[in-house]
Amino acid sequence: MDSNAQRGKRYSAVMTDGPARAPARAMLRAIGFTVEDLAKPIIGVGHAWIETMPCNFNHRALAEHVKAGIRAAGALPMEFNTIAVSDGVSMGTEGMRSSLVSREVIADSIELVTRGHSFDGLVLIVGCDKTIPAAAMALCRLDVPGLVLYSGTIAAGRLHGRDITLQEVFEAVGAHAAGRIDDAELAAVEATACPGAGACGGQFTANTMSTVMEFLGLSPAGANDIPATHPDKAAAATQAGRLATRLVMEDVRPRALATPEAFENAIACVAASAGSTNAVLHLLAIAAEAAVPLDLADFDRISAKTPVLVDIKPGGRFVAADVHGAGGLAVLGARLQELGLLHEGCATVDGRTIGEIAAAAHETPGQEVIRPAAAPLKNRGGIAILHGALAPEGCVVKLAGHERTRHTGPARVFDSEEACFAAVQARTVRAGDVVMIRYEGPVGGPGMREMLSVTGAIVGAGLGDSVVLITDGRFSGATHGFMVAHVTPEAALGGPLAAVRDGDVITVDVDSRRIDIEVTQAELAERLQGWTPPPPRYRYGALAKYAAMVGSASRGALTSPVPIRNSAELDRSSNPPVGYRP
């Protein structure tokens, strides 16, 4: 065995080496691995191939290229699967309750396979919304060398001379219900919006978190923005396999990359790209797994000073594939570098600093997708954090795709997404209303469903500029309009949303960072004294277990016991990498 291979087998040697491991080798030889193969470092190649969505449909093919790169670099790949739940397919149904829960299951399953089979490193191929943060959570939890490879965005659909995405389908449903389009137009939108493999085509949650992975340093620079069906994707996958092998040989670990400064870079890229509010939830969770203190105030602080620079759906003109055509995410890094908003010295998996990557960006002449630093779309980022009588522990407001910063109106209270959707379809929601959907939080849902069916219907019905929607649940990255989510404490735990009644006057004021109600604290407390929590929707099984274990959305809605709260409690070595210690 050469010295590099010996050095790389930090963990797998306990599984493969020595006379006592003959039974393990016998079983692995049955698969086709040779004795020579098993003498090499073993790198797990995990992915979420599934036939329930286009987002992950190319994972098997990409895995073959990743494995070829690993073999060429002198290591042994072992492919494995995890699960995935499609937000786009399950949206608006009971099935959507499984989505956020799946993030925890995916992270746990990656951990268990990695620990159970003593992998020396990992390449995690991700696509749909929860697979990306789950992969990063697992990498940081395990702290074994590895990287995250995004399988790519979908190509845009084309209808009536314009690019469309899944966002337009949801909005077409609302327009159809309002009588603004007919059956034929709805069918045409449905038939053309999703032309092939890849994750939803705006700066929705998947593409937001893909961007985050590069700025956090956990994905190879330039790999993630290559669209799913682009001919360069295969070569990027092969190179990712080679790179992961180098990380194993050199023992470069995720926690060395995912530093506090790297998380600030990640928040800045979300703000500058008008990314999904789900990034708040996921970055809090990843930071906890990386033992990096991060809280809601960090998002508000960084977003307030970071301009929106990417003109991309849901609020902009372009689709995610256009970012690659403009020169890729490195161009966004260069803009942040120019503005002094990038921690340039942060290391990344490809061996360069994020500043070096930004400095080497090749911008396509004449591109309009990523704006000049001096001519942003907005002077502040697309997310703000509010507190107030209705959200003592905070909530997240989406500012992209609209210009509104204040709204006062009467509450229209719904105790489920379905009830609200029916009211929008029946056209009983009126301009000026503050639409509230409660009991959809991590515990109350359970699973904190996204509300794209409702928000799409509101926009499609022509109400997007005249109502506010407030929820303890989540929004899809495709949501745009004046929307407030992740309200904590959630209603199911006796948060103030549980005390709101129809007609109560509510004010959302972004400039003052407040969300308040024209009801006294004494009256709210009196109402809550007579409040009875709703019975749990699930009494056994995975969703019941999740509801019993999950933490607050203001801390990332984690089920893993990671009690990092501030720098005084920080111990980044508290979770041993893969655990082969006496």
Side-chain angles (χ1 to χ4, degrees):
M1 185 191 304
D2 66 47
S3 59
N4 278 337
Q6 287 179 317
R7 188 175 73 226
K9 283 185 73 68
R10 292 177 188 86
Y11 306 125
S12 63
V14 302
M15 182 178 68
T16 61
D17 292 7
R21 302 310 303 159
R25 290 193 300 273
M27 295 191 72
L28 292 170
R29 290 174 73 167
I31 298 171
F33 297 127
T34 66
V35 171
E36 291 74 22
D37 288 333
L38 297 173
K40 299 173 182 177
I42 300 176
I43 298 177
V45 179
H47 59 75
W49 182 90
I50 198 166
E51 284 189 325
T52 61
M53 66 186 96
C55 316
N56 309 332
F57 198 61
N58 60 340
H59 283 196
R60 278 179 173 171
L62 287 180
E64 292 301 321
H65 295 291
V66 170
K67 291 193 295 182
I70 292 171
R71 292 190 191 100
L76 174 64
M78 286 188 179
E79 185 176 350
F80 67 96
N81 285 91
T82 183
I83 66 161
V85 173
S86 171
D87 291 19
V89 174
S90 65
M91 194 79 68
T93 74
E94 192 75 5
M96 185 64 196
R97 301 192 193 281
S98 300
S99 174
L100 187 60
V101 181
S102 77
R103 186 191 73 178
E104 309 301 295
V105 174
I106 295 162
D108 290 352
S109 68
I110 293 168
E111 176 191 358
L112 292 174
V113 173
T114 301
R115 290 187 186 278
H117 294 280
S118 309
F119 293 150
D120 298 301
L122 288 167
V123 175
L124 300 174
I125 304 171
V126 297
C128 65
D129 296 5
K130 305 310 173 295
T131 58
I132 308 173
M137 288 164 64
L139 266 185
C140 291
R141 182 189 303 174
L142 292 161
D143 204 28
V144 297
L147 58 85
V148 176
L149 176 66
Y150 181 48
S151 54
T153 186
I154 198 170
R158 192 79 179 165
L159 184 66
H160 305 318
R162 66 186 184 102
D163 288 342
I164 65 170
T165 69
L166 189 66
Q167 170 190 339
E168 281 76 14
V169 186
F170 278 97
E171 292 173 6
V173 171
H176 182 266
R180 298 170 67 194
I181 64 172
D182 60 17
D183 291 350
E185 179 66 9
L186 177 61
V189 174
E190 174 189 334
T192 56
C194 300
C200 297
Q203 195 69 342
F204 312 152
T205 304
N207 285 309
T208 298
M209 294 309 298
S210 161
T211 303
V212 161
M213 289 301 105
E214 288 205 22
F215 280 81
L216 198 54
L218 297 180
S219 286
N224 284 5
D225 59 61
I226 302 171
T229 57
H230 193 284
D232 290 347
K233 200 71 183 185
T238 303
Q239 181 57 30
R242 289 180 174 273
L243 178 55
T245 307
R246 181 180 67 76
L247 296 173
V248 168
M249 299 303 186
E250 297 178 4
D251 198 24
V252 178
R253 297 174 181 269
R255 288 192 181 191
L257 307 175
T259 62
E261 293 77 18
F263 276 95
E264 293 206 350
N265 286 340
I267 295 170
C269 84
V270 173
S273 65
S276 169
T277 54
N278 284 312
V280 177
L281 195 75
H282 297 325
L283 276 167
L284 288 168
I286 297 164
E289 298 284 9
V292 168
L294 192 71
D295 60 36
L296 289 175
D298 295 312
F299 290 86
D300 195 71
R301 170 177 58 84
I302 295 168
S303 188
K305 65 182 181 181
T306 305
V308 176
L309 296 165
V310 185
D311 191 359
I312 191 172
K313 290 177 182 289
R317 294 179 294 161
F318 298 98
V319 299
D322 294 325
V323 172
H324 179 68
L329 294 173
V331 177
L332 178 59
R335 297 288 194 270
L336 294 174
Q337 186 178 50
E338 181 181 348
L339 291 166
L341 296 173
L342 193 70
H343 293 288
E344 299 181 46
C346 291
T348 72
V349 289
D350 81 355
R352 295 178 292 168
T353 66
I354 193 75
E356 290 169 337
I357 292 166
H362 295 287
E363 182 173 351
T364 302
Q367 68 84 22
E368 299 180 359
V369 183
I370 302 172
R371 298 287 289 268
L377 290 161
K378 284 190 171 186
N379 289 325
R380 63 149 297 139
I383 288 172
I385 305 299
L386 311 185
H387 291 78
L390 290 182
E393 295 177 8
C395 60
V396 182
V397 61
K398 187 161 191 174
L399 302 177
H402 67 94
E403 300 301 323
R404 300 161 66 201
T405 59
R406 194 177 194 280
H407 181 98
T408 297
R412 287 290 311 279
V413 182
F414 301 95
D415 287 348
S416 70
E417 178 186 359
E418 287 85 355
C420 182
F421 183 76
V424 175
Q425 294 289 83
R427 307 182 71 177
T428 60
V429 172
R430 306 297 183 194
D433 284 348
V434 176
V435 178
M436 179 178 295
I437 305 175
R438 62 190 179 190
Y439 302 120
E440 292 285 6
V443 174
M448 211 176 180
R449 286 193 291 182
E450 291 181 355
M451 305 289 175
L452 183 56
S453 291
V454 169
T455 60
I458 286 173
V459 171
L463 296 169
D465 294 328
S466 60
V467 303
V468 170
L469 195 154
I470 298 171
T471 182
D472 51 9
R474 296 182 297 126
F475 294 131
S476 164
T479 294
H480 62 110
F482 204 4
M483 311 288 179
V484 183
H486 308 191
V487 174
T488 55
E490 63 173 289
L493 298 180
L497 291 192
V500 179
R501 296 174 180 171
D502 278 340
D504 288 342
V505 176
I506 293 172
T507 296
V508 179
D509 190 335
V510 175
D511 293 337
S512 65
R513 302 294 196 275
R514 298 287 300 180
I515 177 168
D516 287 308
I517 183 170
E518 292 184 14
V519 174
T520 66
Q521 288 294 317
E523 171 66 12
L524 285 176
E526 184 178 340
R527 291 182 187 181
L528 286 172
Q529 283 182 349
W531 169 79
T532 302
R537 287 188 170 93
Y538 300 89
R539 297 187 179 276
Y540 60 90
L543 293 176
K545 180 166 62 175
Y546 178 87
M549 297 175 65
V550 70
S552 170
S554 65
R555 291 291 176 188
L558 281 163
T559 59
S560 180
V562 282
I564 296 299
R565 290 292 181 269
N566 55 56
S567 57
E569 298 177 32
L570 183 61
D571 179 4
R572 302 194 77 219
S573 62
S574 60
N575 197 31
V578 182
Y580 310 121
R581 298 182 179 180

